[in-house]
Amino acid sequence: MPNLNDTHNPSLRSWVDSANLEGNDFPIQNLPFACFRRRDTKETLRGGVAIGDQIVDLGALRDAGNFEGLARTGLEAAAETSLNHFMSLGTAYWSALRASLSAGLAEGSSAMNALKSCLIPQAEAEYGMPCVVGDYTDFYSSVHHATSVGALFRPDNPLLPNYKWVPIGYHGRASSIGVSGQSFPRPRGQLKAPDAAEPSLGLSKRLDYELEMGIFMGSGNALGSPISIDQAEDHVFGLCLFNDWSARDIQAWEYQPLGPFLAKNFASTISPWIISTEALAPFREAFSHPENDPQPLPYLSSKKNSTEGGFDVTLECLLRTEKMRAAGEAATTLSQSSFKHSYWTVAQMVTHHTVNGCNLMPGDLLGTGTQSGPSHEEAGSMLELSRGGKESITLPNGEKRTFLDDGDTVLMKGYCQREGFVRIGFGEAEGTVLAARDS
Ligand code: CA
């Protein structure tokens, strides 16, 4: 097990009672970061750390003069209006601040009163983007997703020959990435039915979600200096939930020869909380390619990556339609999967991204690609669940879907659970499709 320390101790409890409740996403072993302010105020955004149903206001904690050394430097950076500066500092600072917060929030801490005055209930908060995302890249790391989607788009040639050699990705667009609570109008685009002679401009009728994880880069690399596989994770700040909304009909017409473009860049939704790689240490997985598959080239391979390169994060996607909302009904689960099925690890994606000398920057976001599991029920998109729109999904209230309707809210959740450790959660990434605006 990599780098376990006092902050992972399963017997650790917090004086914040809600953090000790079973099944809560934010026990003292988690301590994820977000940027927030009090709802409906003009307060400046600042960094916060989740504990139970509360947020430690890092701005208030800084102003009160708490912590010292690396933790103090980290605190001052994390209290800024975005986390980019904190992300750029590197593991020693992230770890020192986590250790100080863990000690201060633990039962019996002498710092209890100082920290208590810095708590704000999550129910009273609104979230901003945790950082300025300068660049966003989306990978395609689930072989199950790549195979089933490939079969729909290219029945005779589902998995292209490079897939098992190269962590496939494309450069996406950062400006339309929003935090949970995002809503956006149904996109328009060029559409061409297979039997139509010509394309026409119209509203997407095959609007979909993609159940992904987001990887936030911490310290970057200089242009021309690749990051090696065993150093890759030192450059990763943490993980979040990521919904890469996709218009399948726009995608089908535009994606060859250069890949996704307008089918993907109209909106993407992240969860507000970033779970640090340190918090995820107890939930690592061995990584390997199946014996008969090509083995990763040496630059994408190491003992460390093989023994603990994976992350066991359970991912869940839920839907709440407008009708369900009006009836006061809860969201219904569409599918569940795990990031442990990924064909490429986080370290491999980072290393591959920089192997040509490309420089990653603090706050850059990498999407993992849709995390579909091996079985049909574990599919991370409606395209797969509805088998390309051929089989409708019946919801508990009798409504049917092959793709998303206006008013549909998609919710993504994630958590890690393992014998001998305290469960930690990712919170939610929620987004809603609105009716298109007049063109
Ligand atoms: Ca995607």
Side-chain angles (χ1 to χ4, degrees):
M1 201 69 73
N3 305 323
L4 292 184
N5 57 41
D6 291 348
T7 67
H8 303 102
N9 184 347
S11 61
L12 203 58
R13 290 168 60 88
S14 175
W15 47 262
V16 179
D17 291 336
S18 58
N20 305 320
L21 296 174
E22 194 148 338
N24 117 80
D25 276 355
F26 307 120
I28 192 168
Q29 289 81 2
N30 194 346
L31 304 178
F33 288 85
C35 278
F36 82 104
R37 66 181 165 200
R38 284 189 180 82
R39 185 178 295 157
D40 302 323
T41 68
K42 294 201 161 60
E43 290 178 355
T44 49
L45 290 166
R46 65 271 191 188
V49 167
I51 179 78
D53 60 7
Q54 304 289 310
I55 300 172
V56 182
D57 179 345
L58 298 180
L61 200 63
R62 171 200 57 197
D63 295 345
N66 291 282
F67 300 165
E68 34 189 54
L70 298 187
R72 176 69 197 176
T73 309
L75 172 63
E76 287 173 4
E80 293 178 14
T81 55
S82 82
L83 294 173
N84 297 75
H85 180 195
F86 181 54
M87 291 166 150
S88 76
L89 294 178
T91 51
Y93 293 86
W94 310 335
S95 209
L97 181 54
R98 173 180 164 86
S100 291
L101 284 165
S102 176
L105 290 165
E107 258 177 5
S109 168
S110 58
M112 179 173 88
N113 288 336
L115 268 89
K116 208 173 229 174
S117 62
C118 301
L119 293 183
I120 291 179
Q122 285 165 29
E124 294 173 18
E126 64 185 14
Y127 300 95
M129 286 292 287
C131 60
V132 177
V133 179
D135 272 306
Y136 151 56
T137 300
D138 200 20
F139 282 90
Y140 199 47
S141 72
S142 161
V143 70
H144 309 293
H145 174 73
T147 305
S148 49
V149 169
L152 294 167
F153 282 103
R154 296 176 306 273
D156 51 335
N157 188 19
L159 200 62
L160 296 172
N162 57 3
Y163 187 85
K164 292 185 173 177
W165 295 96
V166 185
I168 298 289
Y170 71 95
H171 286 119
R173 186 159 184 87
S175 66
S176 50
I177 299 171
V179 78
S180 185
Q182 185 181 31
S183 59
F184 60 91
R186 178 174 296 269
R188 281 184 175 75
Q190 275 205 26
L191 314 170
K192 185 187 164 301
D195 53 355
E198 291 179 356
S200 58
L201 182 69
L203 293 175
S204 171
K205 295 183 187 67
R206 291 162 71 92
L207 186 58
D208 200 356
Y209 60 81
E210 290 193 329
L211 176 60
E212 304 197 13
M213 301 219 70
I215 302 162
F216 274 105
M217 295 308 300
S219 47
N221 61 303
L223 187 70
S225 299
I227 298 174
S228 72
I229 185 86
D230 277 345
Q231 284 169 349
E233 286 194 13
D234 289 346
H235 293 264
V236 174
F237 181 72
L239 305 183
C240 69
L241 304 167
F242 184 62
N243 182 353
D244 180 27
W245 304 93
S246 299
R248 302 300 182 190
D249 36 11
I250 299 173
Q251 185 179 356
W253 173 233
E254 77 171 8
Y255 89 104
Q256 295 194 99
L258 285 185
F261 180 33
L262 301 180
K264 302 275 190 176
N265 69 3
F266 53 89
S268 317
T269 308
I270 59 167
S271 54
W273 295 106
I274 306 176
I275 316 301
S276 68
T277 40
E278 188 172 352
L280 293 164
F283 309 103
R284 304 305 299 263
E285 281 280 317
F287 160 84
S288 64
H289 280 173
E291 211 174 48
N292 295 327
D293 279 8
Q295 296 305 301
L297 291 177
Y299 79 99
L300 293 175
S301 183
S302 77
K303 184 161 175 273
K304 184 177 166 208
N305 189 59
S306 300
T307 53
E308 59 188 42
F311 291 85
D312 184 8
V313 183
T314 300
L315 298 168
E316 191 178 1
C317 187
L318 303 96
L319 178 68
R320 195 180 193 204
T321 68
E322 201 165 324
K323 201 169 161 187
M324 291 164 74
R325 198 158 42 242
E329 291 165 5
T332 184
T333 299
L334 293 176
S335 69
Q336 211 180 60
S337 183
S338 171
F339 186 34
K340 72 179 177 187
H341 299 306
S342 181
Y343 197 78
W344 299 105
T345 64
V346 169
Q348 287 171 325
M349 289 185 246
V350 169
T351 295
H352 183 66
H353 202 310
T354 64
V355 71
N356 66 345
C358 174
N359 53 331
L360 295 172
M361 306 287 283
D364 279 2
L365 180 65
L366 313 183
T368 59
T370 310
Q371 293 302 309
S372 299
S375 74
H376 178 71
E377 294 69 36
E378 295 170 287
S381 70
M382 271 192 153
L383 178 71
E384 292 159 89
L385 288 174
S386 72
R387 300 187 195 276
K390 290 191 183 75
E391 292 176 12
S392 59
I393 302 155
T394 304
L395 307 177
N397 68 354
E399 285 185 279
K400 289 183 190 301
R401 290 288 184 277
T402 48
F403 291 97
L404 296 169
D405 275 14
D406 294 346
D408 283 356
T409 295
V410 175
L411 271 123
M412 293 180 176
K413 297 184 182 186
Y415 62 87
C416 300
Q417 200 158 21
R418 185 162 283 184
E419 187 67 35
F421 293 96
V422 175
R423 174 197 183 279
I424 62 171
F426 281 70
E428 285 181 1
E430 183 196 286
T432 301
V433 181
L434 304 176
R437 297 190 186 126
D438 293 338
S439 55

